């Protein structure tokens, strides 16, 4: 896929690697929001079908992907700084829509609570507003592996839990990606895990009640770590909420096979086309 690459200075003095994927006849622009330590590369599966109808903007957070070498001495990225970066990119690219994956949903919801004017609707994939027992157990085990500098153990654990339904090719890629992390990146991972484990839903609940645009929550049928029913615990009285379940999918949705890929493609494109006042056309 062709993309226009750019390095952007954002809040906090960070430099962020961004890529703009053009559509020949766009119905709007979509901003992709990564979850945890995902990168632009991990979003290619989704971007490939989105650019059939939309321009797509994707970026690597300062500690991940192509941005990591641009910020070698950067301090650990706290959630408020992550939100500030996201708002900067929204102001620059003025996307019509936003799609987050996994824990990227926290930053997206906090950003949307500030009502950025360009965004008409948003999608949150594999998001849960609270940590259930299975996710807590996974995170606590990951914390122990990484604190002991056992990257192999952390990679194996990931593939046995969150990534259990991924094709083996993607599992091997995740193993290689984690094994190459240096001390700074591991510090960021440890910070992120501790933050999630201590996350106070009520702290964010008071903020996200300000969101007043359509939101679609998409969860995998087989995902036990961020299950679909957990969304009922999130109170969004001013937002127009839609909930969807992707058949035969775990946490990584369209990356996990042809059936979830086709279902996600139809769900996302039709939902965004509705937001662009265009009749949905994908089945």
């Amino acid at each position: 896929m062709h993309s226009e690459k750019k390095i952007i200075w954002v809040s906090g003095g960070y430099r962020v690697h961004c890529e703009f994927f053009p559509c020949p006849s766009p119905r709007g622009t979509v901003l992709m929001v990564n979850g945890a330590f995902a990168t632009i590369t991990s979003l290619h599966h989704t971007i490939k079908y989105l650019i059939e109808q939309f321009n797509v903007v994707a970026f690597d957070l300062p500690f991940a992907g192509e941005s990591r070498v641009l910020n070698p001495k950067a301090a650990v990225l706290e959630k408020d700084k992550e939100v500030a970066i996201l708002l900067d990119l929204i102001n620059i690219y003025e996307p019509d829509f936003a799609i987050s994956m996994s824990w990227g949903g926290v930053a997206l919801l906090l950003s949307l609570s500030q009502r950025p004017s360009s965004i008409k609707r948003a999608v949150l994939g594999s998001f849960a507003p609270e940590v259930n027992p299975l996710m807590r157990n996974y995170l606590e085990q990951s914390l122990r592996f990484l604190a002991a500098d056992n990257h192999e153990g952390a990679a194996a654990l990931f593939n046995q839990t969150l990534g259990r339904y991924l094709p083996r090719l993607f599992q091997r890629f995740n193993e290689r990606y984690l094994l190459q992390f240096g001390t700074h990146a591991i510090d960021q991972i440890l910070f992120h895990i501790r933050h999630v484990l201590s996350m106070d839903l009520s702290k964010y609940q008071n903020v996200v009640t300000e969101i007043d645009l359509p939101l679609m929550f998409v969860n995998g049928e087989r995902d036990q770590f961020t299950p679909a029913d957990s969304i009922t615990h999130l109170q969004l009285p001013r937002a127009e909420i839609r909930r969807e379940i992707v058949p035969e999918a775990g946490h990584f949705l369209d990356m996990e096979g042809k059936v979830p890929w086709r279902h996600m493609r139809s769900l996302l494109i039709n939902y965004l086309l509705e937001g662009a006042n265009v009749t949905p056309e994908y089945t």
Side-chain angles (χ1 to χ4, degrees), residues 130-254:
E130 58 186 13
V131 179
N132 71 5
L134 275 176
M135 178 66 86
R136 180 170 296 278
N137 183 58
Y138 162 70
L139 292 172
E140 288 174 346
Q141 289 188 67
S142 295
L143 195 63
R144 287 194 290 271
F145 279 127
L146 293 171
D149 203 28
N150 184 351
H151 298 190
E152 292 86 354
L157 176 66
F158 175 88
N159 285 336
Q160 293 162 8
T161 52
L162 288 182
R164 65 180 297 189
Y165 298 115
L166 284 170
R168 184 56 189 150
L169 177 65
F170 290 131
Q171 290 184 336
R172 287 197 296 267
F173 175 82
N174 287 328
E175 289 168 359
R176 290 194 299 269
Y177 181 58
L178 185 57
L179 290 175
Q180 69 182 0
F181 277 176
T183 301
H184 179 262
I186 293 299
D187 287 344
Q188 180 67 51
I189 295 176
L190 293 173
F191 173 83
H192 171 77
I193 293 174
R194 291 179 180 123
H195 171 78
V196 172
L197 286 170
S198 63
M199 190 170 67
D200 182 0
L201 175 62
S202 62
K203 175 184 175 181
Y204 297 125
Q205 181 63 74
N206 295 332
V207 176
V208 299
T209 53
E210 297 299 316
I211 298 173
D212 60 356
L213 68 148
L215 300 174
M216 181 167 70
F217 291 89
V218 182
N219 297 82
E221 178 184 37
R222 300 193 289 186
D223 185 3
Q224 297 177 300
F225 297 87
T226 52
D229 59 5
S230 65
I231 300 302
T232 58
H233 299 291
L234 187 64
Q235 302 302 312
L236 296 162
R238 306 177 67 179
E240 178 186 319
I241 303 298
R242 177 173 165 183
R243 299 182 178 90
E244 295 287 348
I245 297 176
V246 179
E248 298 184 28
H251 187 75
F252 290 97
L253 299 171
D254 55 8

Side-chain angles (χ1 to χ4, degrees), residues 49 246-248 253-254 257-268 282-283:
Y49 58 76
V246 179
E248 298 184 28
L253 299 171
D254 55 8
K258 291 182 179 179
V259 171
W261 183 90
R262 286 195 295 266
H263 197 87
M264 275 289 286
R265 176 176 177 268
S266 175
L267 272 179
L268 293 186
Y282 287 70
T283 58

